[in-house]
Amino acid sequence: METKDLTQDGTVDLRGQPVLASKTGKWKACAFLVGYEAFERMAFYGIASNLVNYLTTQLHEDTVSSVRNVNNWSGSVWLTPIFGAYIADSFLGRFWTFTFSSVIYVMGMVFLTMAVSVKTFKPTCNNGVCSKATRSQITFFYVSLYTIALGAGGTKPNISTFGADQFDDFNPTEKQMKVSFFNWWMFSSFLGALFATLGLVYIQENLGWGLGYGIPTVGLLFSLFIFYLGTPIYRHKVRKSRSPARDLIRVPVTAFRNRKLELPASPSELYEVELQSYSGYGAGAGKRHVQHTPIFRFLDKAAIKDGTNSSRPSCTVTQVEGTKLVLGMIIIWLATLVPSTIWAQINTLFVKQGTTLNRTLSHGFQIPAASLGSFVTLSMLISVPMYDRYFVPFMRQKTGNPRGITLLQRLGVGFVIQIIAIAIAYAVEVRRMHVIRTNHIVQPKEVVPMSILWLLPQYILLGIADVFNAIGLLEFFYDQSPEHMQSLGTTFFTSGIGVGNFLNSFLVTVVDKVTGENSGKSWIGNNLNDSHLDYYYGFLLVISTLNLGVFLWVSSMYIYKKEAVDEVKDGMETKGLDTSPLGLQV
């Protein structure tokens, strides 16, 4: 096997042997992966979108308790990937972490299906009226839910990054393929979510909860079977560090220890190991070290050469730059929390808003208020191919950037569309309040003579915005993570969604309490026909606009990761392909 036929990024097969570039990875490998994402999203949204209904109608929980329990579970699903990613990057690798976690996930789905279908595990129902669940039944139900959350912690951060690993960054053709990967990865996710919100919810309420949960369970098992059929052609990244996250502690500690030392005039005088240390295997194999950047200069002191104390060696420039990357991502992550809060309105206040409107379409058919959420997914499904096939090539001609626009520019466009969406939501709510006053509506269950279709633009725009935001964030955090922390890096994406949901609950609670004090009229009262939801949307519009200004400011100072690839040929070091992330500083 000639080394020129091997992948240039040093990937190996499951046995740790070098792999041929022509016979492994790329889209043919990813074809075995996307099915799992579709069925996993189907399972998650099939539970999350209707969980409140099950808790209130089947387990007889009160509204406040059921909402709190749904938020706690959803938050857990989005936050547990932090631990799964750490295990993958530090110990097991992405493939094996996903393998063990997927078993836990499927086990949770089996338990949940049993909890809603097996007579012993569910409340007794007669003529559609269910008795109160026993303590053991409630315990088994929640154990099932949190088993799923535990499994999601290991699958969610690793399956998408494992898919991205199938493309060689050092091969220009494959690197350009990866530009489309995250778009089509999210496309499969949207398909699963669409089927859940349109199909599974109906099946659960009309044909049985057991069938509604059993279908995605069988789908997950089938997708895992397909996934493992592709094992011979998968590429695996080699872990070169036992615990790559350790540098996040070591670098700032070393910088603080060297705080009294003077930085050298030239960055080239900072400590770095020999280039051969970054070698993969074989002659000509690519080696990746990160080039010095001028931001967060205080961390550079960790790489000052200290010849007086060999027991505490200096950090390398690559280690320091890896810490800088994580610090920069944290700053960007903070600027994405408000947009995640806007996204959380889709399944909360937008639905409540819709329940007050006229939902009759034709021939007496009434559309459920929650079903409008499917238009978010539909707009995504339409927008992703348009973005990938038309927008990117058009902008590529204008900018010369293989991605069309930079990653942060993509996020910025999405944030602007989100602001337009919440502005439209505010305007629609102002009109709804005007119709209420005109028709002297005061009771909470009175239908406002205004079509629910007025809400469609805000749903559609949020779907289009998510094509820029969700996919852009996933790609950004994968791309900008240090080389051996990319699973952990993608948890910035999932944790941002989780924190955004918790932040939304916090804002709603605080606003309701503050505006309802001293017998005042709460902006978000139980009777939306006698509240001021328009004021709350206006509040969200203001903080979103301010947040956009903060995002533009921090992104203007952000410097993208720039890796250098060096080759050693015939004993001479030569500069190879620059793998900076397809974009320039915004």
Side-chain angles (χ1 to χ4, degrees):
M1 182 185 299
E2 296 186 17
T3 56
K4 67 179 182 180
D5 297 326
L6 304 177
T7 55
Q8 300 176 48
D9 60 356
T11 48
V12 297
D13 61 17
L14 196 58
R15 296 172 297 173
Q17 299 300 312
V19 293
L20 291 172
S22 60
K23 296 185 178 180
T24 60
K26 302 184 287 295
W27 285 112
K28 62 183 178 184
C30 291
F32 292 92
L33 306 177
V34 294
Y36 177 85
E37 179 67 8
F39 281 106
E40 191 278 327
R41 289 293 82 192
M42 183 197 304
F44 172 75
Y45 284 107
I47 299 170
S49 60
N50 218 17
L51 184 55
V52 168
N53 188 27
Y54 185 85
L55 295 180
T56 53
T57 61
Q58 306 297 309
L59 299 187
H60 294 289
E61 292 188 4
D62 60 79
T63 301
V64 174
S65 297
S66 61
V67 170
R68 182 174 61 248
N69 287 329
V70 170
N71 285 334
N72 290 341
W73 177 73
S74 297
S76 299
V77 170
W78 290 111
L79 291 177
T80 51
I82 295 174
F83 304 103
Y86 176 77
I87 292 172
D89 285 338
S90 301
F91 302 103
L92 298 180
R94 296 194 245 284
F95 180 85
W96 289 114
T97 303
F98 171 81
T99 295
F100 295 133
S101 299
S102 63
V103 173
I104 297 174
Y105 198 120
V106 171
M107 186 185 307
M109 287 298 300
V110 172
F111 288 164
L112 188 64
T113 304
M114 293 172 59
V116 300
S117 57
V118 178
K119 186 176 181 179
T120 306
F121 298 118
K122 68 175 184 176
T124 303
C125 301
N126 292 311
N127 298 323
V129 179
C130 298
S131 61
K132 189 174 180 61
T134 64
R135 183 176 295 274
S136 60
Q137 289 171 339
I138 293 174
T139 300
F140 185 74
F141 181 82
Y142 279 105
V143 166
S144 303
L145 280 181
Y146 282 92
T147 300
I148 293 171
L150 182 63
T155 58
K156 176 147 286 298
N158 291 304
I159 185 65
S160 60
T161 49
F162 185 68
D165 290 345
Q166 306 309 308
F167 301 93
D168 189 347
D169 275 341
F170 298 91
N171 183 311
T173 302
E174 290 192 27
K175 187 171 185 179
Q176 186 159 326
M177 290 180 185
K178 193 164 75 171
V179 172
S180 297
F181 167 74
F182 286 104
N183 292 331
W184 291 103
W185 179 261
M186 292 299 288
F187 184 86
S188 67
S189 175
F190 300 154
L191 282 176
L194 181 65
F195 183 81
T197 53
L198 289 181
L200 290 183
V201 171
Y202 177 85
I203 291 172
Q204 290 163 3
E205 295 188 2
N206 294 277
L207 301 179
W209 292 92
L211 182 61
Y213 290 154
I215 290 175
T217 302
V218 173
L220 278 175
L221 287 170
F222 176 74
S223 65
L224 286 173
F225 174 75
I226 298 298
F227 172 83
Y228 291 111
L229 284 180
T231 301
I233 63 173
Y234 291 151
R235 299 174 182 177
H236 304 262
K237 288 287 183 70
V238 178
R239 283 192 303 113
K240 298 179 182 179
S241 174
R242 178 67 176 173
S243 182
R246 189 180 304 165
D247 290 342
L248 301 182
I249 299 175
R250 183 187 172 201
V251 168
V253 168
T254 306
F256 180 78
R257 189 181 68 219
N258 295 345
R259 65 190 182 279
K260 295 183 180 179
L261 300 179
E262 292 291 331
L263 283 170
S266 172
S268 62
E269 298 178 40
L270 295 173
Y271 175 67
E272 182 60 277
V273 298
E274 295 294 328
L275 294 180
Q276 286 85 347
S277 299
Y278 294 104
S279 299
Y281 48 78
K287 298 159 305 286
R288 309 168 80 158
H289 67 87
V290 185
Q291 298 179 1
H292 178 268
T293 57
I295 60 173
F296 305 126
R297 290 267 300 171
F298 63 93
L299 291 176
D300 286 344
K301 290 195 173 185
I304 294 177
K305 298 177 182 178
D306 186 4
T308 62
N309 192 348
S310 58
S311 63
R312 294 190 296 184
S314 302
C315 300
T316 65
V317 170
T318 294
Q319 289 173 321
V320 171
E321 291 302 316
T323 304
K324 288 182 181 181
L325 286 171
V326 173
L327 186 56
M329 288 193 300
I330 290 174
I331 295 174
I332 297 296
W333 178 82
L334 290 172
T336 67
L337 296 183
V338 171
S340 294
T341 302
I342 301 300
W343 173 258
Q345 309 310 313
I346 293 173
N347 294 321
T348 53
L349 292 180
F350 283 6
V351 176
K352 292 289 291 180
Q353 190 181 20
T355 57
T356 68
L357 301 176
N358 180 11
R359 295 181 283 124
T360 302
L361 297 184
S362 62
H363 304 293
F365 173 76
Q366 282 198 337
I367 180 173
S371 294
L372 286 187
S374 61
F375 285 93
V376 176
T377 307
L378 285 170
S379 64
M380 291 177 181
L381 290 172
I382 295 172
S383 299
V384 167
M386 293 179 65
Y387 182 92
D388 191 68
R389 299 304 183 192
Y390 300 105
F391 180 81
V392 172
F394 175 77
M395 292 305 299
R396 186 182 293 153
Q397 292 179 348
K398 300 291 184 180
T399 64
N401 188 322
R403 282 192 174 98
I405 55 178
T406 66
L407 293 172
L408 291 179
Q409 286 172 343
R410 181 172 186 169
L411 296 182
V413 171
F415 295 162
V416 170
I417 297 175
Q418 266 197 345
I419 291 174
I420 296 173
I422 201 64
I424 290 176
Y426 167 76
V428 170
E429 180 61 15
V430 168
R431 175 176 173 78
R432 191 183 75 90
M433 297 302 295
H434 172 72
V435 174
I436 287 173
R437 288 190 298 269
T438 302
N439 291 272
H440 308 290
I441 296 174
V442 293
Q443 296 302 317
K445 293 186 178 181
E446 284 189 78
V447 176
V448 180
M450 175 178 170
S451 174
I452 193 175
L453 298 182
W454 277 86
L455 301 182
L456 275 184
Q458 61 204 56
Y459 278 96
I460 293 173
L461 282 174
L462 283 178
I464 296 173
D466 219 38
V467 171
F468 289 86
N469 287 348
I471 304 174
L473 282 171
L474 182 62
E475 187 175 2
F476 174 80
F477 288 127
Y478 172 86
D479 195 276
Q480 295 301 291
S481 297
E483 182 182 1
H484 297 295
M485 293 178 60
Q486 287 171 317
S487 290
L488 192 61
T490 55
T491 62
F492 278 94
F493 168 68
T494 60
S495 63
I497 297 175
V499 173
N501 283 323
F502 286 124
L503 181 59
N504 178 55
S505 298
F506 172 76
L507 287 177
V508 168
T509 302
V510 171
V511 168
D512 177 54
K513 183 176 181 180
V514 171
T515 58
E517 280 185 344
N518 301 321
S519 301
K521 181 185 291 186
S522 172
W523 291 1
I524 316 170
N526 289 328
N527 182 4
L528 287 187
N529 290 336
D530 191 33
S531 298
H532 273 298
L533 195 56
D534 53 336
Y535 290 176
Y536 184 67
Y537 285 163
F539 169 69
L540 291 180
L541 179 60
V542 170
I543 63 173
S544 297
T545 304
L546 293 175
N547 184 78
L548 177 63
V550 173
F551 172 78
L552 293 175
W553 176 59
V554 297
S555 62
S556 68
M557 296 182 292
Y558 186 84
I559 298 178
Y560 288 101
K561 176 173 69 173
K562 193 173 185 180
E563 293 174 334
V565 185
D566 299 282
E567 297 177 348
V568 178
K569 294 182 179 179
D570 300 326
M572 298 182 63
E573 296 173 0
T574 60
K575 184 68 68 178
L577 175 68
D578 176 12
T579 61
S580 58
L582 300 181
L584 305 173
Q585 183 176 345
V586 178

